Amino acid sequence: MSQQRWHQLSTQDVIRLQKTDALSGLSDREAKRRLEAAGPNVLSEGVRISPIVLLLNQFKDFMVLVLVGATLISGLLGEYLDAITILAIIVMNGILGFIQEYRAEKSLRALKELSAPTAKVIRNGEVNEVGAHTLVPGDIILLESGDRIPADVRFLEVNSLYVEESALTGESVPVNKRIDTILEEDAPLGDRRNLGFLGTMVTRGTARAVVIATGMDTEMGKIADLIQTTDAMATPLQHRLEQLGKLLIVIALALTVMVVAAGIMHGQPAYGMFLAGVSLAVAAIPEGLPAIVTIALALGVQRMIKRKAIVRKLPSVETLGCASVICSDKTGTLTQNKMTVTHLWSGGSLYEVSGLGYEPYGEITQQGKRIDARRDSALRRLLQVGVLCNNAVLVEQSGEAVAPKAAMKAAKEGKSAASPGTKKTCDIKGDPTEGALLVLGSKAGMTRQSLAGMYTRVKEFPFDAERKRMSVVVQHQGGRIVCVKGAPDLLLDQCSYILWEGNVVPLTGTLRQKMMAANEAMAKQALRVLALAYRDVKEHESCDTEEEAERGLTLIGLAGMIDPPREEVKDAILTCKQAGIKTVMITGDHQLTAEAIAKQLGILPRNGKVINGKQLAAMSDEDLDEKVDQIYVFARVAPEHKLRIVKSLQRRGHVVAMTGDGVNDAPAIKAADIGIAMGITGTDVSKEASSLVLSDDNFATIVAAIEEGRNIYENIRKFIRYLLASNVGEILVMFIAMMLGMPLPLVPIMILWVNLVTDGLPAMALGIDPSESDLMKQKPRPAKENIFARRLGWKILSRGVLIGLCTLAAFWLTLKSEPDHLSLAQTVAFATLVMAQLIHVFDCRSSRSIFHRNVFENKYLVLAVLSSIGLLLGVIYIDALQPVFKTVDLGIREWALVLVFAGIPTFLMGAGSVLRGGAPKKKKIIYGGGMPGSKSNPVIR
Ligand code: ATP
């Protein structure tokens, strides 16, 4: 059927035409059959670079073209050996480049797949979360606030549903969806309010819908070609290195021209100097740098995945290392989000509830005396509302719902849900806060199933972080009851009465105060508190909107639940402190609850401030900027407050990492330097806005990601130092020798070989170097720090110059003792250059010196260096290779000379560092030192 008309059909007709069941959905078998027929629910991908194209791309490089030119000229001049060797080097270089880029490309693609969307689908009558690509027409799906609609759908049931369709219609105001039939055949997409479209976002409410089109058949599919954008995902560092690379090409070419000119002026043969020039230019230009940076980034990202942090935007890897503040949600990120009700307050009395986690065993007691909740009208109502105003599901670990009969029977006998002999463990599907209320109910024998016969839900006003409450309207014995639960301080405004000593009485000021005191007493013990209320609806009264339903309520009481902090978080917060990163808690929960948990976790220092949403709203931006550095906890905030907090911190010069899970958190996540979404509880909207997703929702994972981010950046600095110092050394040897009119210290093939073998492998091994032990004891790096900062430029130049001078010295000394044996001196120079670089590579691992780190720690590096040494020996000693590389055998005396001169650059500088007392003093970075309100950079002192 043409999709044009789905909006003109009634829900029943759509269900009939799709041959599905509105409640139990398709069967698994039918879904599989339809998937085979319709194909997967994906938009066809843009063109992928095929491996062959990638391989061919390697030979388009400017440097390769120069080498090809050199091969041709050598061939034309009859120097076939040179021509073949250069050709072999081109091919090997190409293959190495291909392997590097292919790996990088593959891991980037794997990253994309990791963040693939999912959908909640009903099949065989059961709700399951499946990959959105497996949806088929006829599937019944469930949608809630924050979901990305996974296919084109016709709504069957909606509860205050709003969908943002700007991706399709350009209209950014969310559309209120409904289920009635629309008659105009050519109604524009934006007016088809009974349809939902792939790729649009649910901003509020919940819905049940039937899939009417998937993949390229959807409205989005029709314009897929238009929206396919190629996201290059290059990081700022990669851009800067690209520019640096261009500059280096110019410098290297200029120096090469000078070397060649000087050589020819001093009587060197023109062909020899031409080859030497080409080789030098090729060797001096770090053309492998971008690929190695990509590999280091990609491998680092894979390490992050192992540590449960999924990077969605590559540039954030760099920014992570600069993070100076982490703003974290409380529930689920700092805490376990495993709620257990431990206290109840009703009618002025406080009750305790025993039991562990989600196990449905426990008792309600008052001053040690067991209470039968079913015989206490207020407690019974409290528990009932908790179970009715609830969307969570309690499942046995084996997967079955808790048997209501057993619970009823146990309850009838006055016991908790089951006897200890038949202990079962339970888990929660859905919101843990609601799960805790289900567990509470089942401890007193009250389950959803046991209430189902008497109460039927007719309407729901879903929970959202703005209202901080949820309500349902249920039908009961011919009448309707509104059941509400939510944040006590806010719900109080909706209440006119209270259940007090068994009677409904007006909620007077005194009673209000009593309730608030009970709320605060619980919150101070780090409990999350929910108030529960109800109202009997009069027959003719309308209950269609939240305003109509949630007013004149009768407060029943409070439920206080513990949510233990995650064990690893305390250490992670300490690590942050040592790393100069401030942790800020931003939560929708009560101020006292937040403060108590912040103290437990070590977030709140003695002079740290806690403020709530109301106080924040009353502050001007200037006021906030002035105080924001002292505030460690923001409580009872609405999601939109988060954006103000991020902006204020950024104005103070901070690099902000911000977590979030809901739809309304998306703007703050986007605005933060590193937006972090929750993999488990996060909505699709928040994930799409984020640059990092935590697959375990855990704060400690953010710290792990920051550590990796810092390490990746340091590793990039390490191999930049190694490659550039090597290049400086190579150019200098040739440059000085030519200027002084000496013979060529290195023949062209040797230079090409050094470039290929000595540079590539060790540099890659540096890219995966383990971090230095004090990595998380240093202050964050300023965001605008130059890559050559912290003396890196000096190190490159000093080591490079020393490597060049030492190589030249070894060459000159050998030549002086055996003036007729140029090949011997060249072989010594070659070996000295290679060995000096291979020793220097270990020095690059440390910000201090070679003596400050265990040389054998990076096994890949040791292996790379050993294989480079093996290859060097092969080139020197294998008879067949000697004519190619123009080498000769070296004796012990020569090797002694080689090793002494090769060691000088590293050991001399290392000894200097040790004598100076270790590392040059670290600079202390003080944040927020700029003018208040100005976008100040960190001040370095
Ligand atoms: P965060 O995750 O941002 O640290 P939070 O999860 O504690 O904070 P919200 O989920 O916005 O914050 O909850 C705020 C308040 O809303 C809670 O303190 C609680 O009183 C109330 N609340 C939470 N969940 C529900 C729910 N499912 N139904 C009704 N009220 C709820």
Side-chain angles (χ1 to χ4, degrees):
M1 122 141 240
S2 134
Q3 200 192 336
Q4 294 298 71
R5 290 187 46 216
W6 289 115
H7 59 285
Q8 291 182 294
L9 299 178
S10 68
T11 52
Q12 292 88 338
D13 284 343
V14 177
I15 292 292
R16 190 172 43 76
L17 281 168
Q18 287 290 352
K19 298 197 180 66
T20 183
D21 186 302
L23 292 176
S24 61
L26 299 172
S27 68
D28 278 336
R29 250 187 52 204
E30 177 61 13
K32 205 170 152 215
R33 199 191 60 73
R34 291 191 189 189
L35 186 62
E36 270 159 25
N41 175 34
V42 285
L43 298 183
S44 72
E45 280 224 14
V47 205
R48 255 189 209 169
I49 303 178
S50 84
I52 297 188
V53 176
L54 203 63
L55 183 64
L56 291 179
N57 277 348
Q58 304 301 318
F59 299 98
K60 281 206 286 198
D61 192 84
F62 172 68
M63 277 301 110
V64 175
L65 295 181
V66 172
L67 280 177
V68 171
T71 316
L72 285 178
I73 293 176
S74 308
L76 287 177
L77 294 176
E79 302 283 345
Y80 299 118
L81 196 59
D82 280 351
I84 292 170
T85 316
I86 301 175
L87 209 62
I89 283 178
I90 295 175
V91 172
M92 280 172 71
N93 210 5
I95 292 175
L96 207 71
F98 166 74
I99 294 174
Q100 289 175 350
E101 277 191 31
Y102 185 69
R103 284 197 65 167
E105 167 92 358
K106 230 173 97 178
S107 31
L108 291 182
R109 209 175 325 132
L111 267 186
K112 262 195 182 165
E113 275 159 23
L114 263 177
S115 40
T118 58
K120 285 178 280 301
V121 62
I122 304 180
R123 286 190 188 152
N124 296 325
E126 275 181 26
V127 183
N128 274 309
E129 189 143 335
V130 299
H133 63 279
T134 63
L135 286 185
V136 291
D139 262 331
I140 305 294
I141 61 167
L142 299 180
L143 294 165
E144 62 181 328
S145 162
D147 283 352
R148 182 177 181 272
I149 299 187
D152 281 2
V153 297
R154 167 76 158 92
F155 295 113
L156 303 174
E157 184 189 319
V158 291
N159 293 303
S160 317
L161 185 73
Y162 285 83
V163 179
E164 201 253 288
E165 299 183 327
S166 62
L168 202 60
T169 61
E171 174 57 59
S172 62
V173 180
V175 185
N176 185 201
K177 294 289 182 178
R178 52 190 210 216
I179 55 171
D180 33 271
T181 310
I182 292 161
L183 292 177
E184 306 87 66
E185 180 172 350
D186 52 359
L189 288 185
D191 290 349
R192 297 186 191 179
R193 299 207 161 195
N194 52 13
L195 299 187
F197 304 104
L198 171 80
T200 56
M201 302 287 184
V202 179
T203 56
R204 244 192 101 186
T206 55
R208 195 158 50 85
V210 55
V211 174
I212 50 174
T214 58
M216 293 305 279
D217 296 335
T218 59
E219 293 299 329
M220 201 59 104
K222 290 181 194 159
I223 56 163
D225 291 338
L226 301 179
I227 53 165
Q228 257 161 25
T229 46
T230 37
D231 193 358
M233 295 226 286
T235 75
L237 180 63
Q238 282 175 311
H239 282 306
R240 264 181 279 147
L241 285 180
E242 207 174 293
Q243 283 160 2
L244 175 75
K246 284 184 188 147
L247 181 71
L248 288 177
I249 289 184
V250 176
I251 296 175
L253 287 180
L255 286 174
T256 308
V257 170
M258 285 166 78
V259 169
V260 174
I264 295 175
M265 262 164 51
H266 284 108
Q268 297 282 348
Y271 169 71
M273 281 320 294
F274 160 74
L275 264 196
V278 168
S279 316
L280 196 58
V282 171
I285 293 165
E287 77 279 3
L289 203 58
I292 301 185
V293 172
T294 312
I295 296 208
L297 285 170
L299 290 177
V301 164
Q302 274 167 1
R303 277 200 307 276
M304 286 195 194
I305 292 172
K306 280 202 192 112
R307 297 178 79 173
K308 307 240 161 47
I310 299 164
V311 175
R312 291 191 66 247
K313 294 173 189 155
L314 207 49
S316 65
V317 174
E318 268 167 49
T319 326
L320 267 172
C322 310
S324 61
V325 179
I326 308 175
C327 296
S328 173
D329 283 345
K330 170 180 73 69
T331 311
T333 312
L334 295 168
T335 65
Q336 296 180 14
N337 205 5
K338 267 201 154 197
M339 309 272 175
T340 314
V341 177
T342 57
H343 291 80
L344 298 173
W345 180 88
S346 174
S349 310
L350 189 68
Y351 302 87
E352 288 183 1
V353 187
S354 64
L356 285 175
Y358 294 143
E359 283 179 11
Y361 312 108
E363 289 176 341
I364 300 174
T365 55
Q366 188 184 25
Q367 290 168 348
K369 218 175 97 210
R370 223 188 80 212
I371 304 287
D372 183 354
R374 288 163 314 126
R375 289 181 213 282
D376 179 312
S377 63
L379 275 184
R380 189 175 62 230
R381 207 169 256 278
L382 187 90
L383 267 51
Q384 264 177 4
V385 168
V387 173
L388 291 172
C389 182
N390 201 315
N391 286 326
V393 182
L394 198 58
V395 281
E396 278 189 45
Q397 281 295 1
S398 59
E400 271 173 50
V402 174
K405 274 190 191 152
M408 288 284 273
K409 188 165 163 269
K412 262 186 206 149
E413 288 160 7
K415 295 185 205 152
S416 55
S419 65
T422 57
K423 267 211 163 187
K424 52 194 169 204
T425 53
C426 285
D427 207 354
I428 293 294
K429 263 193 189 173
D431 180 356
T433 302
E434 298 185 355
L437 292 172
L438 286 187
V439 172
L440 171 72
S442 69
K443 281 175 183 170
M446 210 176 289
T447 62
R448 177 171 295 134
Q449 291 88 336
S450 68
L451 296 177
M454 294 174 277
Y455 299 87
T456 318
R457 189 189 286 194
V458 288
K459 187 118 197 118
E460 175 192 341
F461 301 104
F463 172 78
D464 79 54
E466 205 83 42
R467 302 191 314 130
K468 295 188 172 39
R469 63 175 169 267
M470 160 187 178
S471 48
V472 296
V473 184
V474 293
Q475 202 105 41
H476 176 59
Q477 295 176 342
R480 286 171 299 160
I481 307 172
V482 182
C483 302
V484 191
K485 69 181 194 315
D489 33 338
L490 306 180
L491 191 57
L492 205 58
D493 295 339
Q494 258 58 44
C495 295
S496 311
Y497 308 94
I498 183 168
L499 260 187
W500 197 259
E501 291 161 357
N503 301 311
V504 176
V505 299
L507 184 58
T508 59
T510 325
L511 291 177
R512 252 169 210 271
Q513 273 169 13
K514 286 195 172 162
M515 181 271 210
M516 286 309 282
N519 177 28
E520 284 176 15
M522 284 195 212
K524 268 190 189 149
Q525 296 174 48
L527 297 181
R528 177 190 190 79
V529 192
L530 245 66
L532 298 108
Y534 79 102
R535 179 164 67 89
D536 291 318
V537 185
K538 300 203 177 73
E539 206 179 319
H540 47 270
E541 231 180 318
S542 160
C543 244
D544 289 341
T545 64
E546 292 150 15
E547 292 74 32
E548 286 170 345
E550 296 167 351
R551 63 185 169 81
L553 301 172
T554 302
L555 182 76
I556 315 166
L558 305 173
M561 43 190 90
I562 49 161
D563 177 16
R566 285 179 181 266
E567 277 167 22
E568 57 282 31
V569 163
K570 213 172 165 179
D571 284 344
I573 286 169
L574 190 67
T575 308
C576 282
K577 239 182 221 167
Q578 291 167 342
I581 304 167
K582 177 184 173 189
T583 310
V584 177
M585 177 194 280
I586 304 184
T587 176
D589 220 335
H590 193 278
Q591 182 164 345
L592 294 171
T593 312
E595 186 172 339
I597 293 190
K599 276 188 186 147
Q600 280 177 16
L601 288 172
I603 290 178
L604 190 63
R606 222 176 305 138
N607 53 359
K609 289 207 167 69
V610 179
I611 70 162
N612 61 35
K614 264 195 197 150
Q615 294 166 316
L616 179 62
M619 276 183 178
S620 68
D621 280 350
E622 291 73 34
D623 228 10
L624 179 61
D625 290 353
E626 211 168 284
K627 298 193 177 120
V628 76
D629 282 326
Q630 279 84 52
I631 305 173
Y632 288 77
V633 177
F634 292 88
R636 267 294 186 257
V637 289
E640 76 260 13
H641 289 144
K642 287 187 169 182
L643 187 60
R644 273 193 77 195
I645 300 170
V646 170
K647 295 239 159 108
S648 172
L649 284 165
Q650 284 174 333
R651 282 195 295 270
R652 295 293 297 172
H654 286 291
V655 174
V656 186
M658 160 76 86
T659 71
D661 46 15
V663 192
N664 307 341
D665 292 338
I669 294 182
K670 255 198 191 137
D673 300 277
I674 306 148
I676 305 172
M678 301 297 144
I680 305 170
T681 54
T683 53
D684 295 343
V685 178
S686 63
K687 285 182 199 165
E688 275 177 31
S690 71
S691 44
L692 190 76
V693 177
L694 308 178
S695 62
D696 61 354
D697 291 12
N698 190 343
F699 177 84
T701 304
I702 306 175
V703 184
I706 289 181
E707 188 183 338
E708 287 293 350
R710 285 187 176 194
N711 192 31
I712 292 172
Y713 187 81
E714 287 312 314
N715 283 353
I716 291 177
R717 277 169 51 97
K718 287 176 196 171
F719 61 69
I720 286 181
R721 170 180 165 187
Y722 172 67
L723 286 177
L724 295 191
S726 299
N727 290 357
V728 169
E730 287 157 27
I731 292 193
L732 216 63
V733 176
M734 299 294 281
F735 186 74
I736 298 178
M738 291 304 99
M739 292 300 163
L740 296 181
M742 291 163 81
L744 272 185
L746 298 163
V747 298
I749 298 299
M750 288 177 178
I751 300 177
L752 286 180
W753 190 92
V754 170
N755 181 45
L756 181 73
V757 179
T758 321
D759 288 1
L761 283 180
M764 265 162 74
L766 277 182
I768 46 172
D769 202 39
S771 59
E772 286 189 79
S773 56
D774 63 350
L775 184 73
M776 289 302 273
K777 300 216 165 59
Q778 295 166 17
K779 302 279 171 245
R781 150 188 122 241
K784 293 205 175 110
E785 185 190 271
N786 188 304
I787 185 88
F788 296 113
R790 287 179 276 141
R791 294 163 58 94
L792 192 77
W794 156 249
K795 281 179 184 161
I796 290 172
L797 280 179
S798 60
R799 281 14 170 228
V801 167
L802 276 177
I803 290 174
L805 291 180
C806 287
T807 305
L808 206 60
F811 172 72
W812 185 72
L813 284 176
T814 316
L815 199 61
K816 222 176 118 195
S817 66
E818 298 209 31
D820 300 329
H821 206 347
L822 180 59
S823 292
L824 182 71
Q826 284 174 330
T827 312
V828 166
F830 175 50
T832 309
L833 180 70
V834 171
M835 291 308 295
Q837 292 184 359
L838 293 182
I839 295 173
H840 176 232
V841 75
F842 290 103
D843 193 17
C844 296
R845 296 182 57 231
S846 170
S847 50
R848 304 171 204 190
S849 80
I850 193 164
F851 303 117
H852 287 88
R853 291 201 74 179
N854 174 2
V855 170
F856 301 106
E857 190 185 3
N858 182 346
K859 300 214 169 50
Y860 296 101
L861 185 62
V862 174
L863 218 69
V865 167
L866 284 180
S867 42
S868 292
I869 293 177
L871 288 167
L872 173 70
L873 295 178
V875 167
I876 294 178
Y877 290 105
I878 295 175
D879 288 345
L881 293 180
Q882 284 187 343
V884 178
F885 287 90
K886 323 273 192 299
T887 50
V888 293
D889 287 358
L890 296 183
I892 301 234
R893 227 185 55 168
E894 282 84 29
W895 272 113
L897 191 74
V898 165
L899 292 179
V900 167
F901 278 98
I904 287 177
T906 296
F907 291 110
L908 192 73
M909 300 308 277
S913 162
V914 171
L915 285 179
R916 279 199 312 274
K921 271 221 166 74
K922 292 252 150 56
K923 279 177 184 156
K924 200 171 164 200
I925 300 170
I926 297 162
Y927 282 93
M931 291 286 288
S934 71
K935 191 171 169 82
S936 62
N937 281 322
V939 179
I940 303 178
R941 289 185 189 150

